[in-house]
Amino acid sequence: EILKKFSEEKNYARFIVDDLLEERKQKRFGETGELIACISRGLKKRNINLNADRWYNLLARVFQGFRIAVNNELSNIDRFLPDAFDSLNRGGVLTLITFHSLEERLAYDFTVQLAKEKKAEFIFGRQILAANREELEENSASRSAKLYAIKKLF
């Protein structure tokens, strides 16, 4: 459930979970390297070969899923957004930076709903700003960042 819901890993989530649960019956994982080795063995067992980029992306999604679940990140964001907006004075600006599509969905739904209710307006004339080509060349980490900014109307 965690990997499917939070990691956005559609292709291998079921295999990975099965392998992790099976290995965990024998011993608890103590280090991330043990998790990585288990995932690697499971993929090899199924003759799934990933190039270096796909392997890195898979691991990033898996660990993202664990991090989001353990830190309860989406629930925290859900609680934070209305509180942050309510704390603004009239004309105050709320800016949000998202780094993956799960955060993006929460920010998008929240800001669009406020705009529909005429409680806020978008600062940039549209909902989202993303890094342009120049920024991406200078800072590759900005590739997934999206900026939302809304101004409280009353």
Side-chain angles (χ1 to χ4, degrees):
E1 175 90 19
I2 288 172
L3 285 187
K4 210 170 202 178
K5 186 175 180 183
F6 299 134
S7 75
E8 302 178 285
E9 174 51 49
K10 293 165 182 52
N11 298 319
Y12 309 116
R14 183 76 257 152
F15 300 145
I16 292 169
V17 169
D18 289 346
D19 294 333
L20 291 174
L21 291 175
E22 188 62 33
E23 191 157 321
R24 190 166 170 242
K25 287 177 186 175
Q26 296 162 19
K27 68 175 181 125
R28 294 187 67 84
F29 294 103
E31 299 178 7
T32 56
E34 294 170 348
L35 289 170
I36 292 168
C38 178
I39 294 167
S40 177
R41 282 190 300 275
L43 294 177
K44 285 179 183 166
K45 177 172 70 179
R46 291 175 178 85
N47 293 319
I48 299 170
N49 297 307
L50 303 176
N51 67 31
D53 285 342
R54 292 197 61 209
W55 171 246
Y56 173 80
N57 289 334
L58 172 69
L59 291 177
R61 286 190 305 273
V62 167
F63 284 98
Q64 170 187 293
F66 290 146
R67 187 197 74 234
I68 289 170
V70 167
N71 295 333
N72 209 14
E73 290 179 16
L74 300 181
S75 295
N76 288 334
I77 292 170
D78 245 351
R79 283 194 310 274
F80 165 79
L81 291 174
D83 291 345
F85 184 76
D86 290 345
S87 71
L88 294 174
N89 292 325
R90 182 173 185 237
V93 175
L94 177 63
T95 57
L96 308 166
I97 299 175
T98 63
F99 295 100
H100 56 75
S101 64
L102 297 172
E103 291 173 341
E104 217 173 291
R105 174 59 42 207
L106 293 174
Y108 177 84
D109 290 347
F110 180 76
T111 56
V112 166
Q113 185 62 39
L114 289 172
K116 281 181 183 175
E117 294 171 358
K118 306 279 191 234
K119 293 180 179 178
E121 65 184 9
F122 291 102
I123 297 294
F124 305 122
R126 58 179 200 194
Q127 294 129 349
I128 307 165
L129 280 185
N132 60 26
R133 185 174 303 172
E134 185 178 300
E135 172 69 17
L136 289 170
E137 287 172 4
E138 267 185 51
N139 178 9
S140 65
S142 69
R143 72 187 177 286
S144 60
K146 305 280 189 298
L147 175 66
Y148 295 76
I150 54 172
K151 181 170 129 179
K152 189 171 187 176
L153 296 178
F154 58 87

